[in-house]
PDB file of all heavy atoms in Angstrom:
ATOM      1  N   THR S   6     -13.556  -3.605  -4.545  1.00 88.00           N
ATOM      2  CA  THR S   6     -12.842  -3.544  -5.793  1.00 88.00           C
ATOM      3  C   THR S   6     -11.453  -3.055  -5.552  1.00 88.00           C
ATOM      4  O   THR S   6     -11.143  -2.343  -4.616  1.00 88.00           O
ATOM      5  CB  THR S   6     -13.518  -2.701  -6.887  1.00 88.00           C
ATOM      6  OG1 THR S   6     -13.668  -1.411  -6.410  1.00 88.00           O
ATOM      7  CG2 THR S   6     -15.061  -3.223  -7.086  1.00 88.00           C
ATOM      8  N   CYS S   7     -10.655  -3.361  -6.530  1.00 85.00           N
ATOM      9  CA  CYS S   7      -9.307  -2.843  -6.605  1.00 85.00           C
ATOM     10  C   CYS S   7      -9.215  -1.823  -7.697  1.00 85.00           C
ATOM     11  O   CYS S   7      -9.577  -2.279  -8.870  1.00 85.00           O
ATOM     12  CB  CYS S   7      -8.258  -3.973  -6.647  1.00 85.00           C
ATOM     13  SG  CYS S   7      -6.549  -3.415  -6.622  1.00 85.00           S
ATOM     14  N   VAL S   8      -8.438  -0.730  -7.529  1.00 81.00           N
ATOM     15  CA  VAL S   8      -8.346   0.128  -8.645  1.00 81.00           C
ATOM     16  C   VAL S   8      -6.974  -0.183  -9.466  1.00 81.00           C
ATOM     17  O   VAL S   8      -6.771   0.457 -10.521  1.00 81.00           O
ATOM     18  CB  VAL S   8      -8.104   1.590  -8.086  1.00 81.00           C
ATOM     19  CG1 VAL S   8      -9.538   2.006  -7.516  1.00 81.00           C
ATOM     20  CG2 VAL S   8      -7.087   1.765  -7.145  1.00 81.00           C
ATOM     21  N   PRO S  11      -7.708  -6.581 -11.467  1.00 84.00           N
ATOM     22  CA  PRO S  11      -9.128  -6.908 -11.716  1.00 84.00           C
ATOM     23  C   PRO S  11      -9.822  -7.594 -10.480  1.00 84.00           C
ATOM     24  O   PRO S  11     -10.907  -8.186 -10.636  1.00 84.00           O
ATOM     25  CB  PRO S  11      -9.014  -7.855 -12.919  1.00 84.00           C
ATOM     26  CG  PRO S  11      -7.702  -8.399 -12.826  1.00 84.00           C
ATOM     27  CD  PRO S  11      -6.815  -7.272 -12.200  1.00 84.00           C
ATOM     28  N   TYR S  16     -19.365  -9.298  -0.534  1.00 91.00           N
ATOM     29  CA  TYR S  16     -19.568  -9.874   0.776  1.00 91.00           C
ATOM     30  C   TYR S  16     -20.825  -9.510   1.403  1.00 91.00           C
ATOM     31  O   TYR S  16     -21.233  -8.360   1.293  1.00 91.00           O
ATOM     32  CB  TYR S  16     -18.308  -9.466   1.626  1.00 91.00           C
ATOM     33  CG  TYR S  16     -17.090  -9.826   1.104  1.00 91.00           C
ATOM     34  CD1 TYR S  16     -16.423  -8.886   0.241  1.00 91.00           C
ATOM     35  CD2 TYR S  16     -16.515 -11.004   1.394  1.00 91.00           C
ATOM     36  CE1 TYR S  16     -15.110  -9.310  -0.323  1.00 91.00           C
ATOM     37  CE2 TYR S  16     -15.244 -11.387   0.818  1.00 91.00           C
ATOM     38  CZ  TYR S  16     -14.636 -10.439  -0.031  1.00 91.00           C
ATOM     39  OH  TYR S  16     -13.445 -10.761  -0.577  1.00 91.00           O
ATOM     40  N   VAL S  19     -23.699  -9.198   7.044  1.00 89.00           N
ATOM     41  CA  VAL S  19     -23.914  -9.944   8.228  1.00 89.00           C
ATOM     42  C   VAL S  19     -22.792 -10.955   8.378  1.00 89.00           C
ATOM     43  O   VAL S  19     -22.187 -11.140   9.485  1.00 89.00           O
ATOM     44  CB  VAL S  19     -25.236 -10.705   7.978  1.00 89.00           C
ATOM     45  CG1 VAL S  19     -25.390 -11.706   9.152  1.00 89.00           C
ATOM     46  CG2 VAL S  19     -26.428  -9.805   7.933  1.00 89.00           C
ATOM     47  N   LEU S  21     -19.675 -10.621   7.321  1.00 90.00           N
ATOM     48  CA  LEU S  21     -18.466  -9.786   7.724  1.00 90.00           C
ATOM     49  C   LEU S  21     -18.561  -9.487   9.234  1.00 90.00           C
ATOM     50  O   LEU S  21     -17.589  -9.549  10.002  1.00 90.00           O
ATOM     51  CB  LEU S  21     -18.314  -8.671   6.970  1.00 90.00           C
ATOM     52  CG  LEU S  21     -17.978  -8.730   5.478  1.00 90.00           C
ATOM     53  CD1 LEU S  21     -17.939  -7.425   4.807  1.00 90.00           C
ATOM     54  CD2 LEU S  21     -16.686  -9.421   5.444  1.00 90.00           C
ATOM     55  N   PHE S  25     -15.674 -10.782  11.718  1.00 91.00           N
ATOM     56  CA  PHE S  25     -14.761  -9.820  12.284  1.00 91.00           C
ATOM     57  C   PHE S  25     -15.307  -9.146  13.473  1.00 91.00           C
ATOM     58  O   PHE S  25     -14.608  -8.233  14.187  1.00 91.00           O
ATOM     59  CB  PHE S  25     -14.383  -8.652  11.224  1.00 91.00           C
ATOM     60  CG  PHE S  25     -13.685  -9.229  10.028  1.00 91.00           C
ATOM     61  CD1 PHE S  25     -14.368  -9.315   8.900  1.00 91.00           C
ATOM     62  CD2 PHE S  25     -12.477  -9.616  10.111  1.00 91.00           C
ATOM     63  CE1 PHE S  25     -13.735  -9.845   7.697  1.00 91.00           C
ATOM     64  CE2 PHE S  25     -11.795 -10.143   8.935  1.00 91.00           C
ATOM     65  CZ  PHE S  25     -12.445 -10.257   7.794  1.00 91.00           C
ATOM     66  N   ALA S  27     -19.109  -7.049  15.216  1.00 88.00           N
ATOM     67  CA  ALA S  27     -19.935  -5.986  14.771  1.00 88.00           C
ATOM     68  C   ALA S  27     -19.339  -4.584  14.969  1.00 88.00           C
ATOM     69  O   ALA S  27     -19.615  -3.608  14.359  1.00 88.00           O
ATOM     70  CB  ALA S  27     -21.234  -6.067  15.600  1.00 88.00           C
ATOM     71  N   ALA S  29     -16.033  -3.952  14.436  1.00 89.00           N
ATOM     72  CA  ALA S  29     -14.750  -3.950  13.630  1.00 89.00           C
ATOM     73  C   ALA S  29     -14.736  -2.686  12.853  1.00 89.00           C
ATOM     74  O   ALA S  29     -15.708  -2.188  12.290  1.00 89.00           O
ATOM     75  CB  ALA S  29     -14.582  -5.154  12.741  1.00 89.00           C
ATOM     76  N   VAL S  32     -11.503  -0.094   8.033  1.00 83.00           N
ATOM     77  CA  VAL S  32     -10.144  -0.243   7.615  1.00 83.00           C
ATOM     78  C   VAL S  32      -9.539  -1.690   7.859  1.00 83.00           C
ATOM     79  O   VAL S  32      -8.791  -2.234   7.137  1.00 83.00           O
ATOM     80  CB  VAL S  32      -9.300   0.937   8.005  1.00 83.00           C
ATOM     81  CG1 VAL S  32      -9.096   0.959   9.637  1.00 83.00           C
ATOM     82  CG2 VAL S  32      -8.074   0.983   7.379  1.00 83.00           C
ATOM     83  N   HIS S  36      -8.311  -4.439   5.304  1.00 84.00           N
ATOM     84  CA  HIS S  36      -6.920  -4.967   5.358  1.00 84.00           C
ATOM     85  C   HIS S  36      -6.890  -6.488   5.464  1.00 84.00           C
ATOM     86  O   HIS S  36      -6.068  -7.086   4.825  1.00 84.00           O
ATOM     87  CB  HIS S  36      -6.182  -4.315   6.588  1.00 84.00           C
ATOM     88  CG  HIS S  36      -4.785  -4.834   6.755  1.00 84.00           C
ATOM     89  ND1 HIS S  36      -3.803  -4.541   5.944  1.00 84.00           N
ATOM     90  CD2 HIS S  36      -4.409  -5.797   7.662  1.00 84.00           C
ATOM     91  CE1 HIS S  36      -2.677  -5.136   6.376  1.00 84.00           C
ATOM     92  NE2 HIS S  36      -3.037  -5.776   7.448  1.00 84.00           N
ATOM     93  N   GLU S  37      -7.745  -7.082   6.296  1.00 87.00           N
ATOM     94  CA  GLU S  37      -7.821  -8.504   6.364  1.00 87.00           C
ATOM     95  C   GLU S  37      -8.264  -9.205   5.086  1.00 87.00           C
ATOM     96  O   GLU S  37      -7.696 -10.222   4.761  1.00 87.00           O
ATOM     97  CB  GLU S  37      -8.655  -8.781   7.608  1.00 87.00           C
ATOM     98  CG  GLU S  37      -8.552 -10.269   8.020  1.00 87.00           C
ATOM     99  CD  GLU S  37      -7.303 -10.676   8.595  1.00 87.00           C
ATOM    100  OE1 GLU S  37      -6.489  -9.797   9.216  1.00 87.00           O
ATOM    101  OE2 GLU S  37      -6.934 -11.877   8.363  1.00 87.00           O
ATOM    102  N   TYR S  44       0.385  -5.900  -3.604  1.00 73.00           N
ATOM    103  CA  TYR S  44       0.833  -4.528  -3.302  1.00 73.00           C
ATOM    104  C   TYR S  44       0.545  -4.207  -1.764  1.00 73.00           C
ATOM    105  O   TYR S  44       0.991  -3.122  -1.419  1.00 73.00           O
ATOM    106  CB  TYR S  44      -0.031  -3.602  -4.182  1.00 73.00           C
ATOM    107  CG  TYR S  44       0.201  -3.755  -5.597  1.00 73.00           C
ATOM    108  CD1 TYR S  44      -0.837  -4.204  -6.383  1.00 73.00           C
ATOM    109  CD2 TYR S  44       1.478  -3.435  -6.216  1.00 73.00           C
ATOM    110  CE1 TYR S  44      -0.655  -4.457  -7.818  1.00 73.00           C
ATOM    111  CE2 TYR S  44       1.669  -3.743  -7.572  1.00 73.00           C
ATOM    112  CZ  TYR S  44       0.647  -4.079  -8.397  1.00 73.00           C
ATOM    113  OH  TYR S  44       0.842  -4.374  -9.621  1.00 73.00           O
ATOM    114  N   GLN S  50       7.201  -4.137   6.931  1.00 70.00           N
ATOM    115  CA  GLN S  50       7.885  -3.568   5.782  1.00 70.00           C
ATOM    116  C   GLN S  50       7.840  -2.123   5.717  1.00 70.00           C
ATOM    117  O   GLN S  50       6.997  -1.492   6.451  1.00 70.00           O
ATOM    118  CB  GLN S  50       7.097  -4.113   4.558  1.00 70.00           C
ATOM    119  CG  GLN S  50       7.323  -5.651   4.352  1.00 70.00           C
ATOM    120  CD  GLN S  50       6.535  -6.168   3.141  1.00 70.00           C
ATOM    121  OE1 GLN S  50       5.358  -5.688   2.997  1.00 70.00           O
ATOM    122  NE2 GLN S  50       7.126  -7.097   2.394  1.00 70.00           N
ATOM    123  N   PRO S  52       6.982   1.555   4.471  1.00 69.00           N
ATOM    124  CA  PRO S  52       5.968   2.021   3.677  1.00 69.00           C
ATOM    125  C   PRO S  52       6.231   2.323   2.284  1.00 69.00           C
ATOM    126  O   PRO S  52       7.455   2.552   1.902  1.00 69.00           O
ATOM    127  CB  PRO S  52       5.499   3.425   4.419  1.00 69.00           C
ATOM    128  CG  PRO S  52       6.588   3.709   5.274  1.00 69.00           C
ATOM    129  CD  PRO S  52       7.468   2.478   5.490  1.00 69.00           C
ATOM    130  N   TYR S  56       5.922   6.986  -5.395  1.00 70.00           N
ATOM    131  CA  TYR S  56       5.445   6.630  -6.741  1.00 70.00           C
ATOM    132  C   TYR S  56       5.432   5.103  -6.763  1.00 70.00           C
ATOM    133  O   TYR S  56       5.148   4.607  -7.887  1.00 70.00           O
ATOM    134  CB  TYR S  56       6.324   7.180  -7.854  1.00 70.00           C
ATOM    135  CG  TYR S  56       6.280   8.713  -7.936  1.00 70.00           C
ATOM    136  CD1 TYR S  56       7.306   9.444  -7.506  1.00 70.00           C
ATOM    137  CD2 TYR S  56       5.074   9.238  -8.359  1.00 70.00           C
ATOM    138  CE1 TYR S  56       7.300  10.809  -7.566  1.00 70.00           C
ATOM    139  CE2 TYR S  56       5.072  10.645  -8.423  1.00 70.00           C
ATOM    140  CZ  TYR S  56       6.115  11.369  -7.972  1.00 70.00           C
ATOM    141  OH  TYR S  56       6.049  12.767  -8.048  1.00 70.00           O
ATOM    142  N   PHE S  64     -13.763   0.049  -0.737  1.00 85.00           N
ATOM    143  CA  PHE S  64     -15.223  -0.342  -0.652  1.00 85.00           C
ATOM    144  C   PHE S  64     -15.876   0.460  -1.707  1.00 85.00           C
ATOM    145  O   PHE S  64     -15.887   1.744  -1.716  1.00 85.00           O
ATOM    146  CB  PHE S  64     -15.784   0.051   0.779  1.00 85.00           C
ATOM    147  CG  PHE S  64     -15.462  -0.881   1.815  1.00 85.00           C
ATOM    148  CD1 PHE S  64     -14.475  -0.503   2.765  1.00 85.00           C
ATOM    149  CD2 PHE S  64     -15.980  -2.044   2.022  1.00 85.00           C
ATOM    150  CE1 PHE S  64     -14.083  -1.257   3.762  1.00 85.00           C
ATOM    151  CE2 PHE S  64     -15.721  -2.951   3.054  1.00 85.00           C
ATOM    152  CZ  PHE S  64     -14.639  -2.567   3.907  1.00 85.00           C
ATOM    153  N   VAL S  77     -29.864   3.160   1.355  1.00 50.00           N
ATOM    154  CA  VAL S  77     -30.458   4.510   1.900  1.00 50.00           C
ATOM    155  C   VAL S  77     -31.732   4.870   1.117  1.00 50.00           C
ATOM    156  O   VAL S  77     -31.614   5.045  -0.095  1.00 50.00           O
ATOM    157  CB  VAL S  77     -29.396   5.645   1.873  1.00 50.00           C
ATOM    158  CG1 VAL S  77     -29.943   6.919   2.403  1.00 50.00           C
ATOM    159  CG2 VAL S  77     -28.215   5.253   2.659  1.00 50.00           C
ATOM    160  N   PRO S  78     -32.852   4.983   1.751  1.00 53.00           N
ATOM    161  CA  PRO S  78     -34.174   5.332   1.074  1.00 53.00           C
ATOM    162  C   PRO S  78     -33.919   6.752   0.309  1.00 53.00           C
ATOM    163  O   PRO S  78     -33.240   7.750   0.827  1.00 53.00           O
ATOM    164  CB  PRO S  78     -35.158   5.519   2.167  1.00 53.00           C
ATOM    165  CG  PRO S  78     -34.564   4.715   3.261  1.00 53.00           C
ATOM    166  CD  PRO S  78     -33.094   4.754   3.210  1.00 53.00           C
ATOM    167  N   ALA S  83     -28.814  12.663   1.071  1.00 52.00           N
ATOM    168  CA  ALA S  83     -28.467  14.117   1.102  1.00 52.00           C
ATOM    169  C   ALA S  83     -28.666  14.773  -0.285  1.00 52.00           C
ATOM    170  O   ALA S  83     -28.333  14.151  -1.287  1.00 52.00           O
ATOM    171  CB  ALA S  83     -26.931  14.290   1.546  1.00 52.00           C
ATOM    172  N   ASP S  85     -27.791  16.742  -3.472  1.00 42.00           N
ATOM    173  CA  ASP S  85     -26.537  16.825  -4.247  1.00 42.00           C
ATOM    174  C   ASP S  85     -26.319  18.292  -4.655  1.00 42.00           C
ATOM    175  O   ASP S  85     -27.124  19.110  -4.930  1.00 42.00           O
ATOM    176  CB  ASP S  85     -26.572  16.034  -5.425  1.00 42.00           C
ATOM    177  CG  ASP S  85     -26.429  14.560  -5.043  1.00 42.00           C
ATOM    178  OD1 ASP S  85     -27.321  14.005  -4.468  1.00 42.00           O
ATOM    179  OD2 ASP S  85     -25.418  13.881  -5.363  1.00 42.00           O
TER     180      ASP S  85
END
Side-chain angles (χ1 to χ4, degrees):
T6 60
C7 180
V8 297
Y16 301 88
V19 173
L21 290 176
F25 298 105
V32 67
H36 175 73
E37 191 64 29
Y44 299 111
Q50 293 177 318
Y56 296 108
F64 286 102
V77 178
D85 290 65

